[in-house]
Amino acid sequence: MRTILKTCFLATLLVCTSHASFSQIRRWETLAKSPVILTTQWEVNDIVFKAKGVKGNPFDHEAEATVSMNGETKKLPLFYNGNDEWVLRFSASKIGEYSYVIESAIPALSGKRGTIKASANQKPNRHGAVTLEAEDPQHFYYEDGTHYFNLAFECDWLFALDYGKGDLPKTKKLLDLLEKNGLNQVVMNVYSHDVEWKKDSRLADHPEHEYGGRQDIFPFMGSNEKPDHSTLNPAFFQHLDKVLAEMHDREIVSHLMIYVWNKRVAWPDMNTPEDNRYFDYVVKRYQAFPNIIWDVSKEALYYGRATEEYISERVSRIRDLDSYDRLVSVHDFGFCSRNPDKVDFLSTQDWTHTLYQKMLDANNKFKNKPVFNIEHGGYEESPYHVFPGAYTNAEVCLRRNYMCLFAGVYTTYYWQGTSWNAVIHDPFDQPAGVYKPHFDYFAHMSEFFRRHSFEQFKPHPWQNTNGYNLTNKKDGTVLMYMPKENYAVTLHFLDKENQKTATMQWFNTLTGEYTEVRDFVKGEAERSPWSGKADAILIVKKK
């Protein structure tokens, strides 16, 4: 793809080069001893240095920048990018002037210094990294204090959609769809090779939707079939850069699982120099992205590969390498619940029929951490039979997401047409008669919890009666989730006084429709207008 050169500051100091279609990472080619970089808050910048003639494996050489502002310092690792390039990737969480100086055994890098001036963020949809707040430890927040309603989407093979292409049309199409429907996190692998289960034979007739088993995509040199673990593949990571940058531009978080054990990946042996080189490189290269959340491995202690000691060491390794302190978790509830002090939030994978109670128990047990159900067994059907799990009906899958939310924990949407090796990036452009997923259900969910701020509500199971209760104690608002099979919901906890002081309104979880706000009438409030047709939420508010 054609590269457009733009002079971002004085040409005698440095040149900023950016790609017209994915300019979210600003690339600064240093042409002076002390370059000055102009950036904005939470913008990702690559400051590129050339160092030729480096002996040995360049991925094993260390280079580190000491970055200072107003008496505060942090150590940022540089990473090797191929073609004799070393990159200092930087994003500013605070406004102000930063200075940096590089330390390295590589003479061409040692002593390099410069200045970075960060002005205020100008993008209304950019709020910084996902963080935790001591005052409200069970919810996620952005750096600017805004609540982050963690509504995730699984797409393990997102890295592969446009691999080897100059632009990212398929990736952008899918990300646009997620953004439009309020899905603001992708649970994804750095790399997956192929699935172990039997594939739908119809995929053979639609190779444009099959991404598993490709030998031309590999984070190491060689291929998954014939790996060369002694070195890494810069082209793979340069492509992943573009994917994460596109996500960052839409403020979609990458829940980045560094390993996966059951997708036929030819990983190097654990704890070997090759293993450590790969792991460390991922953390060095992607920590500057504000939209990163780290996850050591998908199903970390499944499949008999990794031990708890190994996973613990990997968590510590992230903490030591990541100067930005991005959130860390492990896709294994057993590990998280036994080691809550090592993770920033509890990740769980729970398919049980008693999902609400299990999530409520986890939420009650871990009062100082968010709980996130990454996988609840609901995998909405698609044109291909990929992996059905326990539930495939779209309404049932949606209900399981609401059961998580009404238990006070965050949740994830799985569609079989995008979650694994089969990826239909443009489902609504498929021919008539081809199954279309219900992304709209999650658009309605996202909108509902923007209107009724999720972080202000707590589960009140003693007031569930025959629905599910969330209550905002500050303003007295009560939300009652009512499955469509319920004839009525009992509201014995709302006394007669509410008939004088409260209003009622119903929300249809399938269509996003609201009824008119009217005075609360207990008998009428107990029966959904969509009984037998759609799950609904009753909203009772004080006048």
Side-chain angles (χ1 to χ4, degrees):
M1 180 178 181
R2 184 169 65 95
T3 299
I4 298 177
L5 297 182
K6 298 180 180 178
T7 302
C8 296
F9 196 59
L10 299 178
T12 56
L13 295 180
L14 71 164
V15 173
C16 172
T17 62
S18 61
H19 295 277
S21 295
F22 35 85
S23 58
Q24 300 88 348
I25 300 180
R26 300 183 75 192
R27 178 181 167 94
W28 301 85
E29 304 275 5
T30 57
L31 303 178
K33 293 182 179 180
S34 300
V36 177
I37 289 170
L38 301 181
T39 186
T40 58
Q41 197 177 19
W42 303 309
E43 183 177 42
V44 182
N45 298 270
D46 280 1
I47 308 169
V48 182
F49 303 88
K50 286 282 189 176
K52 297 181 179 180
V54 176
K55 295 181 180 180
N57 189 335
F59 292 99
D60 291 337
H61 286 274
E62 296 292 333
E64 187 176 65
T66 300
V67 182
S68 304
M69 186 188 76
N70 294 336
E72 297 180 5
T73 63
K74 66 170 63 178
K75 302 283 190 179
L76 298 184
L78 280 72
F79 60 84
Y80 181 64
N81 194 40
N83 194 32
D84 298 324
E85 289 183 357
W86 268 261
V87 177
L88 171 58
R89 181 166 285 169
F90 175 82
S91 62
S93 60
K94 296 180 180 179
I95 300 167
E97 183 170 310
Y98 299 78
S99 64
Y100 68 85
V101 60
I102 296 174
E103 301 172 58
S104 176
I106 301 173
L109 301 179
S110 183
K112 294 288 187 183
R113 61 181 65 243
T115 301
I116 304 168
K117 295 182 179 181
S119 57
N121 167 55
Q122 299 298 319
K123 292 194 172 185
N125 73 330
R126 186 166 287 175
H127 302 286
V130 179
T131 63
L132 302 179
E133 294 282 348
E135 296 78 16
D136 185 17
Q138 288 190 300
H139 294 105
F140 293 113
Y141 288 85
Y142 288 112
E143 284 182 282
D144 70 354
T146 307
H147 173 245
Y148 172 60
F149 181 59
N150 185 125
L151 186 54
F153 181 80
E154 177 107 356
C155 187
D156 289 349
W157 264 263
L158 183 62
F159 66 87
L161 294 194
D162 297 288
Y163 191 84
K165 310 295 183 183
D167 202 356
L168 306 177
K170 295 179 181 179
T171 306
K172 291 177 181 178
K173 183 85 172 180
L174 180 57
L175 293 178
D176 285 345
L177 182 61
L178 301 187
E179 183 183 25
K180 176 183 176 182
N181 289 282
L183 295 154
N184 58 12
Q185 181 176 141
V186 179
V187 179
M188 59 189 289
N189 292 128
V190 172
Y191 173 73
S192 299
H193 182 62
D194 210 352
V195 295
E196 296 181 336
W197 53 77
K198 185 178 179 180
K199 296 182 182 181
D200 191 323
S201 60
R202 290 171 291 184
L203 272 171
D205 298 325
H206 295 279
E208 71 275 15
H209 297 151
E210 171 63 83
Y211 291 89
R214 286 178 56 171
Q215 297 298 326
D216 61 323
I217 309 177
F218 200 48
F220 304 91
M221 295 307 291
S223 66
N224 196 76
E225 184 177 10
K226 297 180 180 179
D228 176 6
H229 293 138
S230 67
T231 190
L232 298 169
N233 179 7
F236 174 89
F237 294 100
Q238 288 161 9
H239 175 78
L240 187 58
D241 285 352
K242 294 189 287 185
V243 175
L244 294 188
E246 286 292 340
M247 296 172 70
H248 179 44
D249 199 48
R250 295 163 176 77
E251 203 167 54
I252 296 175
V253 167
S254 169
H255 183 117
L256 193 61
M257 298 181 289
I258 300 175
Y259 298 117
V260 59
W261 307 134
N262 70 331
K263 297 299 187 291
R264 297 186 174 180
V265 179
W267 296 114
D269 291 337
M270 293 186 299
N271 288 316
T272 59
E274 293 80 10
D275 181 30
N276 293 339
R277 181 186 299 122
Y278 161 78
F279 189 89
D280 293 355
Y281 188 77
V282 171
V283 178
K284 289 177 182 179
R285 185 158 188 137
Y286 295 109
Q287 62 182 269
F289 277 95
N291 61 323
I292 281 287
I293 287 176
W294 300 115
D295 196 322
V296 174
S297 175
K298 184 175 176 66
E299 297 166 341
L301 294 179
Y302 284 31
Y303 311 110
R305 177 180 172 91
T307 64
E308 191 156 310
E309 292 73 22
Y310 177 76
I311 298 300
S312 294
E313 188 276 337
R314 297 290 104 168
V315 171
S316 297
R317 208 173 184 96
I318 292 173
R319 302 285 192 200
D320 291 341
L321 284 168
D322 179 9
S323 297
Y324 289 88
D325 297 323
R326 306 304 185 201
L327 298 187
V328 181
S329 193
V330 177
H331 190 299
D332 184 277
F333 185 64
F335 178 89
C336 290
S337 59
R338 289 189 296 272
N339 303 276
D341 57 320
K342 293 184 179 179
V343 296
D344 293 310
F345 60 93
L346 283 292
S347 296
T348 185
Q349 180 180 7
D350 198 306
W351 292 20
T352 55
H353 185 67
T354 55
L355 177 66
Y356 171 80
Q357 189 60 50
K358 293 289 288 293
M359 294 300 95
L360 186 64
D361 290 345
N363 190 51
N364 288 333
K365 181 178 180 180
F366 300 101
K367 294 291 190 182
N368 63 340
K369 306 265 182 178
V371 178
F372 174 28
N373 191 337
I374 298 179
E375 198 164 351
H376 51 66
Y379 308 113
E380 185 183 340
E381 63 185 298
S382 83
Y384 307 113
H385 181 94
V386 184
F387 183 76
Y391 312 88
T392 63
N393 176 270
E395 290 185 36
V396 175
C397 293
L398 177 69
R399 179 182 293 176
R400 289 181 70 79
N401 281 278
Y402 273 108
M403 290 168 75
C404 290
L405 293 169
F406 272 74
V409 311
Y410 297 98
T411 190
T412 312
Y413 170 39
Y414 277 70
W415 181 47
Q416 290 187 56
T418 49
S419 291
W420 299 288
N421 60 299
V423 183
I424 307 171
H425 71 278
D426 54 351
F428 300 105
D429 296 337
Q430 298 302 305
V434 174
Y435 181 87
K436 307 298 191 297
H438 283 280
F439 283 81
D440 56 320
Y441 290 172
F442 295 87
H444 304 324
M445 175 188 285
S446 177
E447 185 277 333
F448 180 85
F449 282 110
R450 276 198 302 270
R451 184 181 294 197
H452 308 283
S453 303
F454 179 73
E455 76 280 10
Q456 296 178 11
F457 286 85
K458 301 288 185 184
H460 280 224
W462 54 93
Q463 294 178 346
N464 280 351
T465 65
N466 49 329
Y468 301 98
N469 180 302
L470 282 176
T471 295
N472 182 337
K473 283 189 174 182
K474 292 182 179 179
D475 67 8
T477 300
V478 174
L479 306 177
M480 288 295 298
Y481 182 91
M482 184 173 174
K484 67 180 180 181
E485 295 84 0
N486 288 21
Y487 176 77
V489 60
T490 306
L491 300 177
H492 59 75
F493 59 90
L494 294 177
D495 56 31
K496 293 181 179 180
E497 187 64 25
N498 288 99
Q499 297 192 36
K500 301 177 182 178
T501 62
T503 63
M504 56 179 278
Q505 185 179 32
W506 286 92
F507 169 75
N508 186 316
T509 63
L510 302 186
T511 66
E513 178 185 355
Y514 288 87
T515 62
E516 291 185 4
V517 177
R518 52 175 297 185
D519 287 345
F520 177 79
V521 179
K522 188 173 180 180
E524 294 180 16
E526 293 178 338
R527 184 90 192 273
S528 164
W530 300 290
S531 179
K533 298 178 182 178
D535 291 2
I537 299 174
L538 171 67
I539 307 150
V540 179
K541 284 187 174 183
K542 289 185 177 180
K543 291 183 180 178

